[in-house]
Amino acid sequence: MTAAFMDLVDVTIVNIAIPAIERDLGASFGAIQWITAGYALAFAAGLITGGRLGDIYGRKRLFLIGITGFTIASALCGFALSTEMLVGSRILQGAMAAMMVPQVLAIVHTTFPAHERGKVFGLFGAIVGLGAVSGPLLGALLTEWNLFGLEWRPIFLINLPVGIAGVILGRIYITESRAPKALRLDLVGVVLVTAALLMLIYPLTRGRELDWPLWGHVSMLASPVVLAAFVAYERYKTRKDGSPLVELSLFRVRSFAAGIAVQLTMGVVMGVFFLVWTLYMQIGLGWGALKAGLTGVPFSIAVSVAAGMSVQKLVPRFGRKVLQAGALAMAVGVLFFLWASDHYGPDMSPWRMMPALVVMGVGMGLIVAPLTDAILSEVPREHAGSASGLLSTVQQTGTALGLGLVAVVFFGAMPGGVGDGISGHGSADPGSSGAPQGDPDVMRQMVGSAFGEGFQNSLGWVAGVLGLIFALMFLLPAKPKQHLEGGGADDDGPDGGSRDGDDPDGGGTVKEREPVLSH
């Protein structure tokens, strides 16, 4: 949970400091986008591999390697001397997170008996909320305080004591576990799935900055072809030695397949919303980092409270209706936010945002914790690392897609070149082509209006995606059911070995299950 908290804080803490980073390093929009999307892309590309490495070499070992590397990469980010160094360090940080994060859910899955996992996932949901609360607030405070004249750098350096504590606690308390049968690393699968992700997300992220070159369109169109080749190879690998990178048999489990689809689209929503919201507050409305950070606290508290209630109280009684209610609540909050932004314009205030943010936060909280539980509930223990890695990969892929789409739905909706390089507000490169020139008050009004238009357009897209999420949730199991413990199933040893009677290809059912959504 310490590692999960650190990762969540690191994702949310960066957005609030983007204007300060831009001013200090003179970063262009493309560079700023890569500081956020580069982390998500490296994270997504390495997560499946990280999960499988934990299955093979030991989840505790990979967890400790990942958290150590993450801490080192955080130090490199904090001491970055240029935009290029910061982007490179963020990519390294994402790659190390990919080693660390899949082990979190896998260790939970293999350590706790079924009847206890619901409580653990409830705690995980609360940690998600706490990370969401702490990230923006810490980012705002550390940026405003300008400790030792370091400006934005402490947002990364704060990871050092937390990371060191995580390493010490992990060495003492985590029990080593591996897959019960010998597995091999699927290097061809690693190359194919990484290539497919890069071919889609890289041109999407850089397309607007490069004026949408032909190679970008070709790359994005070819990405599904490479993904299809990956699936075909995984089937061959399963027949050959039973050690594919992704257990395709997992997708035969309806709850897993449907949950993965929901997770992907939720990632897109979060990738788009949180970045454009930050830019809207700090650049469009001209708020300081602390004001913007404090504005997000009610949202985060709502997420945390609703996440804790959803797993323990609501889902066992109402099933998937809770998740669908969450999607509808988020959509209502987004539409109210859109109306408020248009109605109040430059006079928008934190108090006027609060009702929409609380409704959105409650909606997200009703989804995040039970969705994770539902996706992993019927996964055989021997594939826990692969499944959790795939789950996190899909979420991060969605987030990276969302961050890439920011160039289209946010900056693409602005008139002229106001948003180019985020320089329209006059801090990074006031002389850049397309940036508004002239009287500062006129520039301020132009930029505020443009960012307001971009924000409203983005919210329209987010509401549409939430409608798709609501529809996809009909594929999730409908009613809650209390699963009984399999005889002796919880007596597995600390090595995570399973006595669940899985069939050879990993697609069988398991006897040991926790109270979750069921068919």
Side-chain angles (χ1 to χ4, degrees):
M1 292 300 170
T2 302
F5 176 78
M6 184 167 64
D7 168 60
L8 289 163
V9 166
D10 199 74
V11 171
T12 56
I13 203 172
V14 173
N15 283 352
I16 208 76
I18 280 176
I21 295 173
E22 181 211 357
R23 288 191 297 270
D24 186 37
L25 299 180
S28 68
F29 166 65
I32 289 298
Q33 200 173 16
W34 269 103
I35 290 171
T36 53
Y39 177 94
L41 183 57
F43 199 4
L47 274 167
I48 301 178
T49 306
R52 180 44 52 95
L53 287 171
D55 289 340
I56 297 172
Y57 298 108
R59 292 158 189 141
K60 177 179 179 178
R61 177 182 297 179
L62 264 292
F63 175 85
L64 294 175
I65 291 172
I67 196 171
T68 301
F70 188 90
T71 305
I72 294 171
S74 297
L76 293 174
C77 289
F79 294 116
L81 302 176
S82 65
T83 303
E84 293 76 15
M85 182 177 175
L86 180 56
V87 170
S89 300
R90 283 286 285 170
I91 292 173
L92 175 62
Q93 197 179 34
M96 291 297 101
M99 298 294 104
M100 172 181 71
V101 172
Q103 319 312 325
V104 174
L105 293 178
I107 288 168
V108 168
H109 198 70
T110 57
T111 301
F112 289 90
H115 67 277
E116 291 183 353
R117 278 187 230 134
K119 298 177 183 178
V120 178
F121 281 121
L123 176 60
F124 183 78
I127 292 292
V128 169
L130 183 60
V133 172
S134 304
L137 192 55
L138 276 174
L141 290 172
L142 293 173
T143 302
E144 288 284 328
W145 287 340
N146 189 20
L147 299 174
F148 309 108
L150 293 173
E151 298 186 347
W152 51 270
R153 299 176 187 276
I155 70 171
F156 296 110
L157 299 178
I158 196 173
N159 285 334
L160 271 61
V162 180
I164 292 170
V167 171
I168 295 172
L169 292 170
R171 289 183 63 89
I172 296 173
Y173 291 109
I174 295 176
T175 302
E176 186 62 280
S177 65
R178 294 179 177 84
K181 68 176 183 179
L183 298 171
R184 298 178 182 177
L185 184 60
D186 179 7
L187 293 176
V188 175
V190 170
V191 171
L192 286 174
V193 73
T194 303
L197 290 173
L198 286 171
M199 290 169 66
L200 175 63
I201 297 173
Y202 182 78
L204 184 63
T205 303
R206 296 210 61 198
R208 182 178 181 275
E209 184 183 7
L210 300 175
D211 198 23
W212 300 109
L214 177 61
W215 64 262
H217 294 284
V218 172
S219 177
M220 286 188 285
L221 289 172
S223 176
V225 177
V226 177
L227 187 61
F230 167 72
V231 173
Y233 181 79
E234 292 303 283
R235 288 175 176 165
Y236 162 76
K237 183 73 170 172
T238 300
R239 293 192 303 269
K240 180 183 177 183
D241 58 18
S243 294
L245 183 63
V246 173
E247 278 294 334
L248 298 179
S249 60
L250 293 172
F251 289 93
R252 298 175 195 158
V253 180
R254 181 179 166 185
S255 59
F256 183 83
I260 285 290
V262 174
Q263 191 81 305
L264 177 67
T265 45
M266 275 295 294
V268 172
V269 165
M270 291 187 284
V272 171
F273 177 75
F274 289 113
L275 180 56
V276 300
W277 179 36
T278 299
L279 296 175
Y280 168 66
M281 288 189 292
Q282 294 197 60
I283 299 177
L285 297 175
W287 296 357
L290 185 57
K291 184 177 181 179
L294 289 172
T295 300
V297 171
F299 171 86
S300 302
I301 292 174
V303 171
S304 182
V305 172
M309 291 180 59
S310 62
V311 171
Q312 295 297 317
K313 303 291 185 182
L314 300 178
V315 168
R317 184 175 180 183
F318 299 108
R320 77 167 176 225
K321 292 178 181 178
V322 175
L323 285 84
Q324 290 181 305
L328 288 178
M330 285 191 70
V332 169
V334 166
L335 291 174
F336 182 74
F337 210 155
L338 196 159
W339 173 85
S341 174
D342 180 61
H343 181 73
Y344 295 113
D347 296 324
M348 175 67 86
S349 69
W351 291 108
R352 287 167 174 166
M353 282 188 187
M354 188 178 297
L357 291 173
V358 170
V359 173
M360 286 181 64
V362 169
M364 182 173 288
L366 293 177
I367 296 172
V368 288
L371 180 60
T372 301
D373 199 2
I375 294 173
L376 293 180
S377 61
E378 298 177 349
V379 172
R381 277 193 172 194
E382 64 180 274
H383 301 310
S386 178
S388 59
L390 183 59
L391 168 62
S392 299
T393 294
V394 167
Q395 180 182 358
Q396 291 301 321
T397 299
T399 301
L401 280 171
L403 290 167
L405 285 170
V406 167
V408 179
V409 303
F410 184 64
F411 287 99
M414 295 183 185
V418 172
D420 290 344
I422 321 186
S423 56
H425 65 294
S427 64
D429 184 11
S432 64
S433 176
Q437 305 291 324
D439 183 81
D441 292 334
V442 175
M443 289 174 62
R444 175 72 262 162
Q445 186 175 3
M446 286 177 61
V447 172
S449 175
F451 272 66
E453 288 181 28
F455 183 62
Q456 292 163 30
N457 187 68
S458 301
L459 290 183
W461 278 86
V462 168
V465 175
L466 285 167
L468 175 61
I469 290 172
F470 176 81
L472 286 171
M473 285 177 175
F474 279 104
L475 299 175
L476 291 173
K479 295 180 180 179
K481 178 181 177 182
Q482 294 292 324
H483 294 289
L484 298 177
E485 297 292 313
D490 287 329
D491 296 328
D492 298 337
D495 64 348
S498 175
R499 295 165 57 181
D500 299 336
D502 303 314
D503 59 18
D505 68 353
T509 58
V510 291
K511 295 178 182 177
E512 178 191 351
R513 300 174 186 168
E514 60 270 35
V516 293
L517 296 174
S518 176
H519 301 300

